[in-house]
Amino acid sequence: MQERAGFVTLGPVPFNWEPDKWRDFYFRIADEAPVATVYIGETICSKRAPLIEPYYEAVAERLSSAGKTVVFSTLSEVVSKLDRKLSEQICTADEFLVEANDSSALLHLHGRPHHIGPLMNVYNERAAAFLVRNGAQNICLPIEMPAGAIAALCQGVRGLDTTIEVQVFGRQSLALSARCYHARAHGRTKDSCRFVCENDPDGLELRTLDGRPFLTINGVQTLSYEYLNLIRELPELRAMGVSRFRLSPHSLDMVEVALIFADVLNGRIGIDEAAPRLETVKPAAPFSNGFYHGMPGYTWNGASVI
Amino acid sequence: MPDPDFLRPELVCPAGTPAALRTAVDAGADAVYCGFQNATNARNFPGLNFTPAELEQAIGYAHAREAKVLLAVNTFPPAGRFDLWRDAIDVAARLGVDAVIVGDIGVADYAARTYPDLRLHLSVQAGASSPEAIRFYCQAFAVKRVVLPRILTVTEIAELHREIPCEIEAFIFGNIGMMAEGRCSLTNYATGLSTNMDGVCSPAADVRYEEDEDSTLTTKLGPFMIDRFACGENAGYPTICKGRYLCSSKPGGYYAFEEPVSLNLSALLPDLMRAGVTALKIEGRQRSRAYVKAVVSAFRKAVDDIMASHEPALANLLALTEGHKETQGAYRSKTWR
């Protein structure tokens, strides 16, 4: 029954939160949030990883004790020696499941059960089937997949031993680069950044020259300004065969967000009750759902909201 | 220079049309790359690219002059539309292209299983930026060459060369995108067309130029202002990663990602050759025949000069770069990051 209903999952924190805050966030998730799987680890910048590393064990233990499946997410852009070392360390440790966010991880994870992250490009059933043969047992689809392609992919992987996951809440990752744009915004470079990204718990907002909010910078990552919200699309996604619904963490009340999504999945509340409840926890930025509907990603129900 | 370690590198040149292909071959290209007129390649622009019949003729023209033809099938087929990409691979194999440049795991898998003798190159769209990532593709699909992302220094390329079992192709000239290739949804976010699935970046149909009463020119992509130019300023084509924006630490507006510059590695050619780069790639399938002729001729002469231990002359290439501003991008130093 639970499997048919699907599960809420929590993606890795993409931002540079203070280590204490990062730990306390996951402790509260462990104690209060109805999420089945929690992804942890640094996915954006290898320089940040040592900051939260001392808390990995305590956080993973607390989450596991609370009955959550803990999955370590790998770095999404692997270039430097430090990046490579970090990716290899996570992939070769065998205490936890690993989510691959870069093809270098696929080499290390060959033949072992693992997850595929949304920053990998799995757009079709043929790519999915290949990755399942390589050991993938859960695939989170790219953020820009429209409904028709999600449905076709789910249809195409039926019979394969994998579950399909889709992000349904939070700012959407739109691009990665080797250059750190947080450092650039402060006249620094990646090597001399002095962790200036720690000042922006939900990223640094970029506006166009005429003042319209546009994008969000998070180190080497560029995210949407809007927050994705697919609460209304949950029943449709579930009918397609998607069974994992990912929330991407922000500094707002993620426990409440998880409760709302879980309540809808379990049939405790209807969409009409859930949607206004989400409005009460949402940040200043508007919601969007354009990619799912084959529209520009920033749009909400086919229209601009800014 | 001279250096006994130098291998004669292959000069790989762009062709957006059959005429451009012939021009590139005549100007001295060792290999020309092109794509079909649909979403299967990353330069799916109106008026560009080849029909299967044109490709067949082009292969004949190139092979008669000992030049190779590489076909880019380097976008990502969304589920439900895989047939278009499968057909592209089938035609490529039937017509005898010298290699197919692939980015998607599904497409690579199809090509490797169906046509084990078809030579595969890994597109820059696959974003393989480490030895481990490249080795994964070599093991999985017997990839023979990797096109490197434009984010590595020459030193890193030299180290990489020693750690991978395949050839390296590196960009040396042309447009430089700031985002990791194959991992950018910025265009889709603003326009509803996807770089990965539709093969477009900043599509012309969504671009607008607006001039106000004091002759300030505004460029837009979809509803978003990408840049603003005072009267007389050189206005660039609006691409999100080369626009000017505001943020809390830069209230006056700044190029948040990169200035509108082009890549020009002519000064680093000997270093790249020494680093073990097999193929030197020129970007620009969307450019004119005159451009292709000028750039290919200049680099043909430069490579030949270096091989003959002469000093190459490449100063005139600056006039051909975007906005007449050039960069060595990531290749020179890590401070670019």
Side-chain angles (χ1 to χ4, degrees), chain A residues 221-242:
Chain A
Q221 182 184 40
T222 304
L223 300 135
S224 62
Y225 170 72
E226 292 82 2
Y227 284 57
L228 173 70
N229 173 7
L230 293 184
I231 192 90
R232 289 187 179 279
E233 290 77 4
L234 277 191
E236 205 173 280
L237 282 164
R238 202 158 60 179
M240 292 173 187
V242 175

Side-chain angles (χ1 to χ4, degrees), chain B residues 51-75:
Chain B
T51 64
E54 287 169 344
L55 181 66
E56 186 168 16
Q57 284 185 350
I59 292 170
Y61 187 89
H63 284 183
R65 289 154 185 81
E66 293 182 355
K68 294 174 185 164
V69 176
L70 318 177
L71 185 74
V73 185
N74 58 349
T75 42

Side-chain angles (χ1 to χ4, degrees), chain B residues 151-158 330-335 337:
Chain B
I151 58 176
L152 299 164
T153 64
V154 175
T155 311
E156 285 169 335
I157 293 174
Y331 291 77
R332 172 72 83 188
S333 148
K334 277 167 68 186
T335 56
R337 291 174 190 153

Side-chain angles (χ1 to χ4, degrees), chain B residues 184-219:
Chain B
C184 177
S185 303
L186 288 171
T187 287
N188 196 1
Y189 174 71
T191 72
L193 285 173
S194 161
T195 304
N196 277 357
M197 294 183 281
D198 303 305
V200 297
C201 172
S202 226
D206 290 279
V207 164
R208 274 185 299 154
Y209 295 86
E210 292 171 2
E211 197 172 337
D212 68 11
E213 58 278 6
D214 55 0
S215 296
T216 300
L217 188 69
T218 293
T219 59

Side-chain angles (χ1 to χ4, degrees), chain A residues 28-40:
Chain A
R28 183 163 175 243
I29 291 294
D31 297 346
E32 301 177 40
V35 294
T37 302
V38 180
Y39 297 88
I40 65 172

Side-chain angles (χ1 to χ4, degrees), chain A residues 133-198:
Chain A
R133 290 196 297 277
N134 196 55
Q137 54 182 26
N138 182 75
I139 298 171
C140 189
L141 301 183
I143 196 69
E144 65 169 356
M145 288 264 285
I150 297 173
L153 189 143
C154 287
Q155 181 76 32
V157 301
R158 234 160 252 172
L160 293 180
D161 197 13
T162 185
T163 46
I164 299 295
E165 182 166 345
V166 165
Q167 183 184 330
V168 292
F169 183 87
R171 281 187 162 147
Q172 306 161 91
S173 180
L174 298 177
L176 293 164
S177 173
R179 174 181 277 176
C180 177
Y181 300 121
H182 242 112
R184 183 173 169 89
H186 291 85
R188 300 173 193 174
T189 69
K190 192 172 177 185
D191 281 350
S192 68
C193 71
R194 301 201 298 279
F195 298 100
V196 70
C197 54
E198 71 189 358

Side-chain angles (χ1 to χ4, degrees), chain A residues 86-97:
Chain A
L86 188 69
S87 186
E88 183 172 0
Q89 269 172 1
I90 288 171
C91 290
T92 51
D94 34 46
E95 301 99 280
F96 291 100
L97 264 173

